[in-house]
Structure formats: structure tokens, C-alpha cells
Amino acid sequence: MSLDDLLPRLNDRLSRITPHQIRGRVKRIRGLLIHASIEGVSIGELCYLRDPVSGRRVAAEVIGFEEDDAILSPIGELHGLSTRSEVIATGRAQGIAVGEGLFGRVISPLGEWLDGGPEPGPETLIEYPVHAEPPLPMKRQLIQHPLPLGVRAIDALNTVAKGQRIGLFGEPGVGKSSLLSAIIRGSDADVVVLGLVGERGREVRELLDVQLDARARQRTVCVVSTSDRPAIERARAALAATSVAEYFRDQGRDVLLLVDSLTRFARAQREIGLAAGEPPTRRGYPPSLFAALPRLLERAGPGREGDGSITAIYTVLTEGDGALDPIAEETRAILDGHIVLSGELARREHFPAIDILASRSRLMESVADEAHRRDAARVRNLMSHYRDVELLLQVGEYREGSDDVTDEAIRKHATIESFLRQSPNDHVSFETTLSRLREIAQ
């Protein structure tokens, strides 16, 4: 028999061989972690726990080792597992199925369909890794174009660029979710990927079915892990959403990635790290978190030449003095800008409650033309002058004519306030926003 005849038969027999599975046994379950006796596994490897009595099957990830035991963090509830449970190694890290069939759908970080719709055929989806390396710095495209979001306060005075990563900072109840829904409806992105990390279950459907219209839903992929889910699943929601965004970026599309919130991702990582025995540092956060944050955030941004881009907006919850919050401090240092939401403006029913003078887009200078930059600087200057004398105006101590710029700021204050206020359902084109900005500045 010739070699040409032998090779097809050999390949056919190899394809029928079932790979040997590495199996082990659960030794003990302590808190959120599982200690198992299983050899040959590595950190980050996906395993399955199967109980022979209850029949329950739970995914888990290897996060460390203690002497001869592998330490696993379950991606699911532990009810029904016991020391009789079997551990089956998969030999690979967790991935998520991606493809065109995700548009308009709601999935879990494990790729489960949560919206009750039909499952796309497996031939329409491919698997992307949940943990991935960012593009090499020297291979990334340069950022050169703005990405209009349909919100005047952002487009005019804190312009976001395609491929920019920006933080949305604010205390609870200042309208972050409402602003995100307005951005989804008004943005010019080809694809929107929404990662809801540790979100309240009640708000998931309200956001998707009430605040978003049909057009916005059809170009949005939503990855959800609610607050009742295990810590590793909540942390996976941010990673899985980023993987979905990477897939569409690699198809040459401009993707808008929204992660709500980065703070709950950090809290989930804290639960995992402390349970694994890591020492607590600032506010109880383990050292591994401060390595995980840049690994997650650097995956967004411009792609390689010929690819699309991922413009990312991450919400960050702040309480009291945000300067004392290590998550807010770390993300400000890594991201390309920050939008600060004011509790005082929110209490005055000012939407969006963006504190313009406290917010800054670091890439606005790179993508806005000279006239736009000049007009934005002029309006910011007027707002700053008004804030300086606001208390004097309230007590009647300011005298008109003391300063020409301040007098102009006082005259234009109501006009600027009206410009910055915008209904959540009001979408304004980029050209209209710049035209109104020019009228105010001049």
C-alpha cells in the first residue's frame, strides 16, 4: 500500500480516537473554593465537577495549588456537590462562542442563552478565548477619528475618539445606566457590546426592553451576570464581553464596549483573591486585582492595521471622596479620560449629570478640529468663571462690570445650562452639536 493510500486511512482512525480525559476527585469544599485531587491541570484551565448522586454538573476554573491539591473556583452554584463529586479536566481555558448570531441576544459569561430565544446553529459561531492578549503596542492603529455618541455634553466638550478607553465615574443613583442607554441609542458605532457585571436582576430587563429601542437592540450584544451569581462568573462577565468585542473588532468593525461596572468586577476579583488566601492590601483588595485591571483594560482600544477598533466606556462607582478609592485611582491612571457624574446635578434633575469641569477626554485634542477645540475651550472658560463667582451671586455681592469675561459668563449661564441638559430620548447629530457650541462660544 502506497503512502498516499495509507495517510487518509490513518487520519480517519485518529479522528475516531476519544482523547484521554484527566479525572480527579473533590477532597473538600471550603467557602467559595474547591480543593481537588487531580494531576496535570494548569492555572486557568476549565474543569467540570459532576456529582454521581445528584447528577449536577458545574464548571470551575483552576486558580491555584496548595501542596498536592488543585484549587478551583466554581462558575455556578455549589448546591448538590459533595466529596463524591468527580473532577474532569478539559485541557483548555474557558472560551465563549461568538458570531453574527449574537446580535440582539442576551448571554451569560458561559455562553448560555438567557433571553429565551432559539439557539443559533453551532456552524454559525466560533469560539474566542476569554483570556486574550492585547494587540502589540507598535502594531496598533493610530487614533485619528471621533466617535459621536449623540450626547451634547460629551460630543462637544469631552469628545470621545474611536479606540479610546474612558471611565464614567459617579456615586450610585446619579444616572449612569440612563446615560449608557442614551449612548447606545445615539452612538455611531457599528456594534455595541454591553457587559452587565453584578447588576440587579430587575434592572437588566428594564434597560434592554424599556430604555433601548428596537434599532439599538438589534446591534447590541449583552453579556449578563447578576449580583446573585458566584464571584468568578461576575468577573467573567467583563472578560467575556471584551472577548465578544474583540471578535467584531477583528472583523473590521468599530465596536462600542460598555462595562457596568468595573467596581463590581473588582469586588468579584477581591472575593476570589481573598478566598484563595491572598493578603489584603488597599481596602482589602488583593495584589492580583491590580495586575488584572490593566490586563482587562488594555485589551480594548484600536486594533491592528486592517482591523476595527474597540471604544470602551467603563463605569466606576465612587463613594464620598473618590480620591480615596483605589479602583477609581487605578482606572484613572490607565484609561484615556474620565467623565465625572455629579450627585448635586442629579439631585437638581439635570440630565446628564456630567460635571464638565471635572471631566476630561485626553484624546479630544487628537480628533477635534481647531475650531471645535477653540469653541470648547471658550465655553469651559466661561463655565469656570461662573463657578468662581457663583457664591457671590447667591449672596448678592458681585457687581456687574468687575470683569468682562465673568459678566459674559453670567449672561450665558442659562444658555450653557440648556445646552448641557438633554432628554435621555433626545439624539443630537454631531454636526448640530458643534453648530450650537459655536453659537454659544461666539
Side-chain angles (χ1 to χ4, degrees), residues 207-224:
L207 173 61
L208 296 175
D209 292 349
V210 178
Q211 299 186 35
L212 297 186
D213 55 29
R215 174 183 170 274
R217 277 296 302 272
Q218 288 307 310
R219 64 186 180 119
T220 301
V221 181
C222 187
V223 182
V224 177

Side-chain angles (χ1 to χ4, degrees), residues 95-100 102 121-129 247 251:
I96 188 165
V98 295
E100 301 293 319
L102 293 182
E123 68 279 357
T124 65
L125 302 174
I126 63 173
E127 187 169 282
Y128 254 48
Y247 165 76
Q251 304 301 308

